[in-house]
Amino acid sequence: MEILYRSTRSGDTLTASQAVLQGLGRDGGLFVPCQMPKFERSLEEMAGLTYQELAYEVMRLFLTDYTEEELKNCVARAYDEKFDTPEIAPLREADGAYYLELYHGATIAFKDMALSILPHLMTTAARKNGTKGEIVILTATSGDTGKAAMAGFADVPGTRIVVFYPKDGVSKVQEKQMVTQRGANTCVVAIEGNFDDAQTAVKKMFGDREMEKELLEAGFRFSSANSINIGRLVPQVVYYVHAYLQLMKRGVIRAGEEINITVPTGNFGNILAAYYAKRMGLPVKTLICASNENKVLTDFFETGVYDRRREFLLTSSPSMDILISSNLERLIFELTGGDASVCASLMEQLKTEGRYELTAEMKQKLSGFVGGYASEERNFEGIRELFEKTGYVIDTHTGIGNAVYRDYVKRTGDKTPTVIASTASPYKFAASVLHAIAPEKTGDLDEFGLIDLLTEISGLSEPPAITDIRTAPVRHRTVSSIEGMPDTVRAFLKG
Ligand SMILES: *Cc1c(COP(=O)(O)O)cnc(C)c1O
């Protein structure tokens, strides 16, 4: 069955590969499948597949205009020895919950799961659609996404990538990760300004028709790798199916029994993928949406009102410090019963008034979700408790999922086996993790000192991604003003 895609804000349809190439609808809407595909093989059959085979089996149902050979190729190039375990996404039991470790890729955070395959989905899409010119990815980053995108696009033929980061706005480890990036098609630029300045300037370049024309003549076209691309969502559905099958294989559940899934989220991307897995037929009872102190989603699930008019808080789970959850638009579209004009008007309200409210009927359809949040203190306490009880160390984003899940169980007594998405290696946020598990030992250690301490305390071994940056040579030294960003891009492309 062919699956077509449409924008959440209007009616035109595209093929899967066209939606991957375009990223965002011209009306500002997000692409969603016109109908949700259903599994075509039984859970028992799928349980025998490797991660790569399962990735193909799930993704083929969404990306129906890719041939078998094309899609299998994309999968093979993505989920290879860039991951430090052949399991790709191992499931670890600790204190009665199942932690789905999504951080075994190149940059030790879950964005690798999708960004390792997106470049291949994109270049394949360009070839299929006869699109001319090299694909140029432009990304402004506050630290994590840019590095994961570069790791994915580095040395992929037919692509180039330019990443802008705020010069004094990222951690030392993050900066080191970026400036040591390999790949002749990568360009890293430190910006004299903050993240918002860089983001605004990137959006301006995307909208600059003159620059577009000039670059097209030189053989380049801009594209975006950000999390609203359907090509990032679909690969994320795979690992929830994989986790369910693991629980089956271990005898924790029988085929058909329901599980719960807890996801620490900000942009609503990762949890939306779990919801899509459920809509495809995965037996899931409750999706627990875990937020940090920027709890706009918790309030939304409780009241049916989305209200971004509130103070933006900086927390120790920075990748979830978000007040506008872009991917929620895909869920809203479903709640309207697929009415793009209602969805568009709610998004317009969010833009102009900073809030919108669901109707009672729409709110009723949220019954499969529970929202919850954890304070900074509760997060640290939960990480410490888990470590003291089991020796298992989780990072501060996973910690939010952990705390919200434990509080949920206390409140409801729900004993359903639960998968918690584990979104980053504790090594990526060593300072915060140590603040939770050994605050008396951190002293005035620098970032690598903290990493050594973490190894000593946790008994974990240092991931290759960390070892690598200790000695990797600096390859990028470009610094640019905000105004100078377009010329920096021109200089890189035209050499
Ligand atoms: C990006 C990120 C998240 C949030 O992901 P969403 O797409 O907002 O759901 C959570 N944890 C880590 C470590 C991340 O990098």
Side-chain angles (χ1 to χ4, degrees):
M1 181 181 60
E2 178 163 38
I3 302 287
L4 293 173
Y5 290 79
R6 54 168 297 174
S7 158
T8 49
R9 299 189 196 177
S10 65
D12 294 342
T13 57
L14 280 74
T15 63
S17 66
Q18 287 166 344
V20 166
L21 266 184
Q22 201 178 309
L24 186 69
R26 306 231 182 275
D27 50 17
L30 277 57
F31 293 120
V32 286
C34 295
Q35 67 205 108
M36 195 61 72
K38 302 282 177 203
F39 294 131
E40 289 178 2
R41 296 172 72 176
S42 69
L43 294 166
E44 286 89 346
E45 279 177 282
M46 291 195 288
L49 304 178
T50 63
Y51 191 89
Q52 291 80 356
E53 289 165 345
L54 182 68
Y56 170 70
E57 179 57 31
V58 172
M59 291 176 61
R60 76 176 177 89
L61 302 172
F62 282 99
L63 306 178
T64 51
D65 71 324
Y66 286 69
T67 67
E68 177 172 349
E69 194 195 346
E70 285 169 341
L71 194 52
K72 283 188 171 167
N73 243 318
C74 292
V75 168
R77 286 176 189 199
Y79 305 115
D80 59 10
E81 56 292 336
K82 286 191 288 299
F83 287 77
D84 67 10
T85 161
E87 292 177 88
I88 306 295
L91 191 66
R92 266 288 301 264
E93 191 273 338
D95 194 19
Y98 296 86
Y99 295 81
L100 177 60
E101 296 183 353
L102 304 174
Y103 55 75
H104 289 274
T107 73
I108 56 177
F110 98 93
K111 291 184 178 69
D112 292 328
M113 299 301 296
L115 280 166
S116 55
I117 194 165
L118 181 70
H120 306 292
L121 295 176
M122 259 189 190
T123 49
T124 306
R127 219 167 27 242
K128 296 176 75 63
N129 290 281
T131 311
K132 299 234 164 38
E134 246 182 290
I135 295 171
V136 180
I137 302 292
L138 294 186
T139 308
T141 186
S142 54
D144 280 344
T145 308
K147 174 67 189 181
M150 276 195 293
F153 280 90
D155 290 327
V156 173
T159 71
R160 305 223 195 167
I161 176 163
V162 188
V163 168
F164 300 97
Y165 72 93
K167 193 159 163 275
D168 302 309
V170 299
S171 79
K172 259 192 223 143
V173 168
Q174 285 176 323
E175 177 155 43
K176 195 92 199 284
Q177 277 191 312
M178 279 189 278
V179 297
T180 55
Q181 178 64 48
R182 298 178 182 87
N185 64 336
T186 64
C187 172
V188 177
V189 186
I191 290 303
E192 292 163 334
N194 62 28
F195 169 68
D196 283 333
D197 300 332
Q199 177 84 306
T200 307
V202 164
K203 283 191 180 153
K204 206 166 142 197
M205 279 190 269
F206 275 125
D208 185 338
R209 295 293 158 239
E210 298 236 327
M211 190 169 182
E212 180 182 311
K213 188 160 164 262
E214 170 198 332
L215 290 180
L216 206 56
E217 280 162 12
F220 300 104
R221 56 182 304 239
F222 286 147
S223 196
S224 158
N226 69 18
S227 80
I228 50 181
N229 193 310
I230 192 80
R232 278 188 62 180
L233 189 58
V234 170
Q236 295 180 180
V237 177
V238 177
Y239 46 74
Y240 292 110
V241 184
H242 172 75
Y244 185 94
L245 300 173
Q246 290 298 313
L247 289 176
M248 259 171 66
K249 285 204 269 193
R250 293 184 199 179
V252 178
I253 52 170
R254 279 184 308 234
E257 280 178 359
E258 289 184 327
I259 62 166
N260 289 344
I261 300 177
T262 303
V263 187
T265 191
N267 218 1
F268 206 72
N270 205 2
I271 190 166
L272 185 76
Y275 173 71
Y276 274 26
K278 178 179 182 175
R279 291 280 319 276
M280 291 181 85
L282 196 70
V284 176
K285 190 170 78 178
T286 302
L287 291 163
I288 301 166
C289 176
S291 302
N292 65 23
E293 289 175 356
N294 292 295
K295 60 182 185 67
V296 63
L297 287 167
T298 311
D299 295 343
F300 170 73
F301 283 111
E302 207 168 283
T303 63
V305 177
Y306 192 96
D307 192 343
R308 70 169 167 89
R309 299 169 306 170
R310 61 181 75 203
E311 193 188 345
F312 177 78
L313 302 168
L314 293 173
T315 73
S316 52
S317 44
S319 302
M320 295 162 57
D321 289 342
I322 285 169
L323 291 181
I324 301 182
S325 306
S326 328
N327 263 300
L328 186 65
E329 181 167 344
R330 288 191 164 107
L331 181 66
I332 299 295
F333 178 76
E334 293 215 4
L335 302 178
T336 66
D339 189 331
S341 65
V342 174
C343 186
S345 112
L346 290 176
M347 294 306 128
E348 183 60 24
Q349 275 177 48
L350 180 63
K351 198 166 137 196
T352 55
E353 293 158 40
R355 78 187 284 283
Y356 60 82
E357 182 165 1
L358 301 184
T359 62
E361 191 192 344
M362 285 169 75
K363 192 166 174 247
Q364 227 176 10
K365 295 185 193 163
L366 288 180
S367 60
F369 287 91
V370 170
Y373 82 102
S375 67
E376 289 287 274
E377 205 179 328
R378 177 72 189 94
N379 186 10
F380 290 130
E381 177 193 72
I383 294 171
R384 186 170 56 247
E385 269 177 23
L386 185 68
F387 174 64
E388 285 173 357
K389 227 167 162 175
T390 68
Y392 186 54
V393 183
I394 55 175
D395 97 292
T396 39
H397 298 77
T398 311
I400 294 289
N402 176 65
V404 168
Y405 167 66
R406 306 280 169 191
D407 291 347
Y408 165 82
V409 171
K410 216 175 270 169
R411 200 167 65 238
T412 61
D414 187 350
K415 294 212 170 60
T416 309
T418 296
V419 169
I420 300 176
S422 184
T423 55
S425 159
Y427 280 91
K428 194 144 199 177
F429 300 95
S432 301
V433 170
L434 286 163
H435 176 72
I437 64 173
E440 69 290 350
K441 292 192 183 158
T442 53
D444 49 11
L445 292 172
D446 67 4
E447 305 217 30
F448 285 110
L450 291 167
I451 283 166
D452 292 336
L453 180 61
L454 182 59
T455 301
E456 189 188 312
I457 293 179
S458 68
L460 293 167
S461 45
E462 186 176 291
I466 296 282
T467 312
D468 187 45
I469 56 167
R470 287 181 187 265
T471 53
V474 173
R475 299 187 63 254
H476 304 270
R477 300 176 197 277
T478 310
V479 178
S480 167
S481 65
I482 294 293
E483 302 73 40
M485 283 167 61
D487 281 339
T488 306
V489 172
R490 286 187 183 97
F492 170 62
L493 295 181
K494 299 179 180 175

